[in-house]
Structure formats: structure tokens, C-alpha cells
């Protein structure tokens, strides 16, 4: 039972099992392809294979060949975020990706891995990125600080963007659904609110897909910068 505006972001339990744990496990089962392609039959198998291939084409169409070993990992991350986002739109479901603790637990390790790889493979080249070409000598110390801060801001923005967008969308859906219920005594106004709620819900489905794509694409972009 939701008693407050932000009550929907409080994790619930089923048989003493946190819902966020259940949703994450379902997402991981789907994303890591535990079920092989031939587990499904006929048309379902074809649709699933097509979705996977099209997602990979979309995510890595502008990637470098050197990032090929990361394709499986980043594709898994994409489907984990996508499935958790979509499951969060079901009634009484909990959206783990609306919590910064979860988004940062994905963003920070991925960002660290990518940057450690970059410094390990090309240490001098990575250091040279701290000073843009053509920078005057007297601005070099300031540019090093600015570039370092911008580098540190990458995982912060990566995790915050995902959590903030999903939180904002869920709050709007909650407010409009509450307004539809309260305005039930006025059929015309309630019907208009319900139509807006339906359109907003469709928009939220799009946002859930786009945010998964943006998160994975940014990690892939950081990877391309480092290799």
C-alpha cells in the first residue's frame, strides 16, 4: 500500500524476499542468455534472436574493433537495465534503477574498468588527454584540474542520469493516476486525465528503452576513448 508520493520507491517484500532482488535475478536470467536460443520454439526464438542482433547493431554501430571483447558484457548490461526498467512499469513492481545505489553500483565499476584498461594499454596517451593540444603553457595546470574533474564527473553523471529520469517519470505516472482516481466524480475531467496518463505511460516505456540505450552507449563511448 502506497501512502506517500515517494512510497512507490520503498522496496517491498514477497515472502520476506526483497522485490528488488527478484527483479534483478529475473533481469540477469534474461540478459545473460541462460536460456539458449533453441530453448524457445519457432517464432518466439526468431523474435528473440532478432531483438538481440538488432540491439547489438544499434549499440555498437560506431564502435571500434578493439572494443569487440566488450560486446557481450555491454549487451548484458543493456538488457539488465532494459528489463528492470520495463518491469518497474508493472503495478506494484519495484524499479531498482530508480535508486542511485543501484545505478552507481553499475556505473562506477564499469567506468573504473574502462579507465584502468585505458591507462594500462596506453598510459602516455591517456595522460596527454589531460592537456588538449595547443593549450598555452600558463593554462596547463588549470586544464589538468579541469580535465581531471570532468573525468571524475563521468560516472556521477552516468548513474545520476539513469536514476533521475526514471524517478521523474514514475512520479508523474503516480501523480496522474492519483488525480484520475480523485477526479472520478467528474467523468469528463477524469477521462481526459486518463488519456494523458495512457500517453504518459507509453512515453515511459520509450524512456525505459532510451535510458538503457544511453547508459550502455556512454559506457561504450568511454571505452572507445580509452582504447
Amino acid at each position: 500500500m502506497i501512502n506517500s508520493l515517494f512510497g512507490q520507491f520503498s522496496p517491498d517484500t514477497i515472502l520476506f524476499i526483497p522485490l528488488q532482488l527478484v527483479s534483478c535475478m529475473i533481469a540477469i536470467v534474461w540478459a545473460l542468455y541462460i536460456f539458449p536460443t533453441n530453448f524457445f520454439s519457432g517464432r518466439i526464438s526468431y523474435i528473440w534472436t532478432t531483438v538481440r542482433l538488432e540491439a547489438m547493431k544499434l549499440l555498437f554501430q560506431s564502435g571500434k574493433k578493439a572494443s569487440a571483447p566488450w560486446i557481450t558484457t555491454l549487451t548484458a548490461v543493456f538488457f539488465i537495465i532494459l528489463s528492470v526498467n520495463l518491469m518497474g512499469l508493472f503495478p506494484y513492481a519495484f524499479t531498482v534503477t530508480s535508486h542511485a545505489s543501484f545505478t552507481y553500483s553499475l556505473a562506477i565499476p564499469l567506468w573504473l574498468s574502462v579507465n584502468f584498461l585505458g591507462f594500462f594499454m596506453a598510459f602516455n596517451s591517456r595522460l596527454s588527454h589531460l592537456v588538449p593540444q595547443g593549450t598555452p603553457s600558463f593554462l596547463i595546470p588549470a586544464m589538468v584540474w579541469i580535465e581531471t574533474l570532468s573525468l571524475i564527473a563521468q560516472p556521477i553523471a552516468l548513474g545520476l542520469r539513469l536514476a533521475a529520469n526514471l524517478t521523474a517519470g514514475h512520479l508523474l505516472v503516480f501523480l496522474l493516476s492519483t488525480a484520475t482516481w480523485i477526479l472520478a466524480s467528474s467523468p469528463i475531467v477524469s477521462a481526459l486525465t486518463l488519456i494523458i496518463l495512457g500517453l504518459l505511460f507509453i512515453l515511459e516505456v520509450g524512456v525505459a528503452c532510451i535510458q538503457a540505450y544511453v547508459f550502455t552507449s556512454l559506457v561504450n563511448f568511454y571505452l572507445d576513448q580509452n582504447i
Side-chain angles (χ1 to χ4, degrees), residues 26 28-40 48 52:
I26 294 174
I28 292 172
V29 168
W30 177 24
L32 296 183
Y33 320 130
I34 291 179
F35 296 116
T37 304
N38 56 10
F39 178 85
F40 303 104
W48 172 235
R52 284 170 53 187

Side-chain angles (χ1 to χ4, degrees), residues 4-212:
S4 65
L5 182 61
F6 291 93
Q8 59 178 316
F9 300 109
S10 299
D12 293 321
T13 59
I14 296 179
L15 300 176
F16 303 103
I17 300 176
L19 278 181
Q20 65 266 38
L21 180 61
V22 175
S23 62
C24 285
M25 291 305 298
I26 294 174
I28 292 172
V29 168
W30 177 24
L32 296 183
Y33 320 130
I34 291 179
F35 296 116
T37 304
N38 56 10
F39 178 85
F40 303 104
S41 59
R43 191 175 298 274
I44 298 178
S45 176
Y46 172 76
I47 293 174
W48 172 235
T49 304
T50 303
V51 169
R52 284 170 53 187
L53 292 177
E54 291 301 321
M56 293 173 68
K57 288 180 183 178
L58 183 64
L59 290 169
F60 307 107
Q61 59 184 347
S62 58
K64 297 179 180 178
K65 291 183 178 179
S67 63
W70 286 70
I71 289 180
T72 302
T73 301
L74 294 182
T75 304
V77 170
F78 170 76
F79 279 108
I80 287 174
I81 297 175
L82 176 63
S83 54
V84 171
N85 290 352
L86 293 177
M87 283 190 294
L89 296 175
F90 286 97
Y92 302 104
F94 177 75
T95 311
V96 186
T97 44
S98 64
H99 279 231
S101 59
F102 180 82
T103 58
Y104 282 128
S105 68
L106 282 177
I108 293 177
L110 287 171
W111 178 82
L112 286 174
S113 301
V114 165
N115 280 277
F116 283 158
L117 178 65
F119 278 102
F120 178 76
M121 294 180 62
F123 184 79
N124 293 331
S125 176
R126 287 299 298 152
L127 286 182
S128 66
H129 281 79
L130 298 178
V131 182
Q133 190 174 6
T135 303
S137 300
F138 66 91
L139 286 179
I140 289 178
M143 290 304 300
V144 171
W145 278 103
I146 292 173
E147 290 297 326
T148 302
L149 290 175
S150 67
L151 189 65
I152 296 173
Q154 288 178 355
I156 298 175
L158 194 62
L160 186 61
R161 181 186 294 106
L162 179 59
N165 280 286
L166 292 173
T167 301
H170 282 58
L171 286 176
L172 285 175
V173 170
F174 178 79
L175 288 172
L176 281 176
S177 59
T178 303
T180 303
W181 180 260
I182 294 175
L183 297 172
S185 57
S186 178
I188 296 178
V189 178
S190 180
L192 290 175
T193 310
L194 184 61
I195 292 173
I196 296 174
L197 175 61
L199 295 175
L200 180 62
F201 184 82
I202 296 173
L203 179 64
E204 274 301 293
V205 174
V207 169
C209 299
I210 291 172
Q211 289 305 314

